[in-house]
Amino acid sequence: MPLYREQHLQEISQQFRIYGQILHAELCKIGHINETYTATYDQGGVTVRYIHQKINQAVFREPDKVMQNVVRVTEHLQRKLRAQGARQYTRRALTVVPTHDGKPYYVDGNGDYWRTFVFVERVQSFEAVHTPQQAYEAGRAFGEFQSLLADLPGDRLHETIPDFHHARKRFAALKAAIEADRVGRVATAQPEIEFALAQEPWIGTLLDAQAAGEIPERITHNDTKFNNVMLDWETGRALCVVDLDTVMPGLVHYDFGDMVRTTTSPTLEDEQDLSKVHMQMPMFEALARGYLEATRGFLTSAEKKYLAFAGRLITYVIGIRFLTDYLSGDVYFRVHRPAHNLDRCRTQFKLVRSIMEQEAAMQRFVDSV
Ligand code: GN1
Ligand code: MG
């Protein structure tokens, strides 16, 4: 890490209620949005670690609201885990470390917002799922998360990114990006654009069901990528979920759908060999079992009816978000090669096709649990 960054992190680290001396920090490369560091401290001769994170303000326009949500949610989770007599509850839900004056974030001289979490030790996350057991754990972890938050007291959470999973608005944004063709890439993505536009007839299905009062708004995570699940090194069991910036009102389908997207294909999100990308039924079954077991206490039969469809919808919506960003010149998602967003889009669309082929069987499985 460059010296100026080391020095900047030194400064950041001194703002928080950490009773230790920073030894070193490393950039953590997971995630397309925020800037994350793992920092090691000496605390009375024992080594402890914390996460320091810079919030991406181009994406999260109101970081104070993000942090209000995160504090309410993490405190509620820990309170409930404690009440249940859970062991190691600071490994089961994130702990926000406040600044010396009690705020959940620090604003530096550049106007950047920084926050700090206790580092959860002896866990690991994966970019791709290797076993059905892992898919089961993901389903259980996010199902429990929703379930624990179902009775969050107080006002409605802030919408940290308004209309985040709003399929019709995402579709309109894609159309606008095609129209504008800002960086001249439209000609290079014709098959993808054609596929994306052809799906319009069904994209409003969940929005319509919600508007009709068939499915309710709940508190959801909204970014349930498999790499946001921390699995215990020793047992392989899910301990906690991270990346809480988009915890806000939503549909359970947004969470379940993104789990289908990220746990059922053997590949990474940006796999270039599309022949490897497909929805694997044993993974889906394990995922659905974990999720349905954990949500039994509140999930309605109307919500259950759309779970397989949710996989198709969210994979599609994230696919068109990658496509929109590709056509707009890669302004949102961090990219590591020129056509990275287009590759990501292709992978999502291949998976959408694979889900559509198996969707009836997927839903039959859900109905049978
Ligand atoms: C972003 O935080 P990260 O990089 O895992 C994005 C998600 C996408 C995901 C695709 C706030 O998540 O919506 O599904 O990339 N988060 C935001 O990998 O836009
Ligand atoms: Mg995220």
Side-chain angles (χ1 to χ4, degrees):
M1 188 159 43
L3 189 61
Y4 74 92
R5 273 217 207 150
E6 283 273 8
Q7 283 167 350
H8 193 48
L9 272 175
Q10 287 268 355
E11 177 215 316
I12 302 300
S13 73
Q14 281 160 22
Q15 313 304 321
F16 293 91
R17 270 189 210 154
I18 293 174
Y19 304 99
Q21 178 186 10
I22 189 164
L23 299 175
H24 54 88
E26 279 157 44
L27 181 65
C28 162
K29 294 204 189 74
I30 302 176
H32 304 328
I33 309 285
N34 292 321
E35 208 176 291
T36 307
Y37 298 87
T38 307
T40 305
Y41 289 75
D42 171 72
Q43 186 177 291
V46 177
T47 300
V48 290
R49 295 199 284 178
Y50 290 87
I51 294 283
H52 298 303
Q53 204 169 38
K54 185 169 98 184
I55 302 179
N56 181 335
Q57 282 188 78
V59 170
F60 298 102
R61 310 250 165 193
E62 298 182 289
D64 52 327
K65 291 194 176 159
V66 169
M67 290 313 291
Q68 282 175 31
N69 282 2
V70 170
V71 167
R72 279 180 65 194
V73 163
T74 50
E75 286 181 351
H76 185 73
L77 292 174
Q78 289 208 355
R79 198 175 311 123
K80 287 189 79 170
L81 289 167
R82 266 202 315 266
Q84 290 172 8
R87 289 177 55 237
Q88 301 200 328
Y89 60 81
T90 61
R91 288 179 81 213
R92 301 263 315 266
L94 290 181
T95 307
V96 176
V97 179
T99 59
H100 293 296
D101 52 2
K103 288 214 193 66
Y105 54 80
Y106 165 68
V107 188
D108 71 12
N110 308 321
D112 285 323
Y113 281 66
W114 290 84
R115 58 170 170 209
T116 298
F117 294 105
V118 169
F119 187 96
V120 178
E121 296 285 354
R122 303 188 309 283
V123 293
Q124 61 194 137
S125 66
F126 299 91
E127 292 297 313
V129 170
H130 302 288
T131 63
Q133 188 58 31
Q134 290 180 339
Y136 173 88
E137 287 298 320
R140 188 179 62 76
F142 283 115
E144 268 179 27
F145 182 84
Q146 289 178 347
S147 177
L148 285 167
L149 290 175
D151 63 348
L152 181 80
D155 294 340
R156 191 169 180 263
L157 288 174
H158 301 296
E159 284 185 52
T160 56
I161 302 181
D163 301 316
F164 189 50
H165 289 298
H166 195 295
R168 285 204 181 94
K169 292 196 178 165
R170 294 293 187 183
F171 188 84
L174 170 64
K175 288 222 300 213
I178 299 168
E179 197 70 28
D181 195 12
R182 269 193 47 216
V183 286
R185 285 178 170 175
V186 163
T188 64
Q190 278 308 315
E192 291 73 25
I193 291 174
E194 207 177 293
F195 176 81
L197 297 180
Q199 311 310 313
E200 190 176 10
W202 53 261
I203 62 172
T205 306
L206 292 182
L207 292 168
D208 294 344
Q210 183 179 12
E214 196 191 338
I215 50 177
E217 176 180 287
R218 299 196 183 275
I219 295 173
T220 50
H221 181 284
N222 296 303
D223 192 359
T224 58
K225 229 170 154 171
F226 183 57
N227 69 6
N228 282 331
V229 182
M230 299 295 129
L231 301 168
D232 190 303
W233 275 359
E234 279 146 35
T235 63
R237 301 264 298 172
L239 265 183
C240 70
V241 303
V242 301
D243 197 356
L244 306 178
D245 300 327
T246 51
V247 180
M248 59 180 155
L251 297 175
V252 292
H253 306 89
Y254 298 153
D255 285 358
F256 189 76
D258 205 26
M259 287 193 264
V260 175
R261 179 179 83 85
T262 60
T263 68
T264 66
S265 174
T267 57
L268 298 180
E269 174 180 85
D270 57 358
E271 174 62 54
Q272 287 171 283
D273 180 353
L274 295 183
S275 71
K276 293 186 183 153
V277 180
H278 59 112
M279 203 303 295
Q280 306 170 100
M281 198 55 104
M283 295 294 187
F284 177 80
E285 291 181 1
L287 168 72
R289 232 180 326 104
Y291 180 73
L292 291 168
E293 278 173 26
T295 54
R296 206 174 298 155
F298 72 89
L299 200 72
T300 67
S301 56
E303 286 176 304
K304 248 179 110 171
K305 228 172 75 186
Y306 293 103
L307 287 182
F309 173 78
R312 175 197 340 172
L313 181 78
I314 290 302
T315 307
Y316 168 80
V317 167
I318 292 174
I320 65 172
R321 288 174 57 199
F322 287 140
L323 182 56
T324 304
D325 200 34
Y326 172 72
L327 298 176
S328 313
D330 309 317
V331 291
Y332 187 93
F333 296 104
R334 197 177 294 138
V335 290
H336 306 289
R337 52 179 188 258
H340 206 166
N341 273 317
L342 183 59
D343 290 341
R344 290 170 176 154
C345 160
R346 287 185 174 138
T347 309
Q348 308 316 300
F349 287 177
K350 173 70 199 292
L351 188 55
V352 168
R353 289 197 171 91
S354 176
I355 293 171
M356 285 167 92
E357 284 162 20
Q358 304 176 75
E359 202 173 304
M362 290 161 73
Q363 188 59 40
R364 271 199 304 280
F365 179 79
V366 169
D367 294 337
S368 76
V369 176

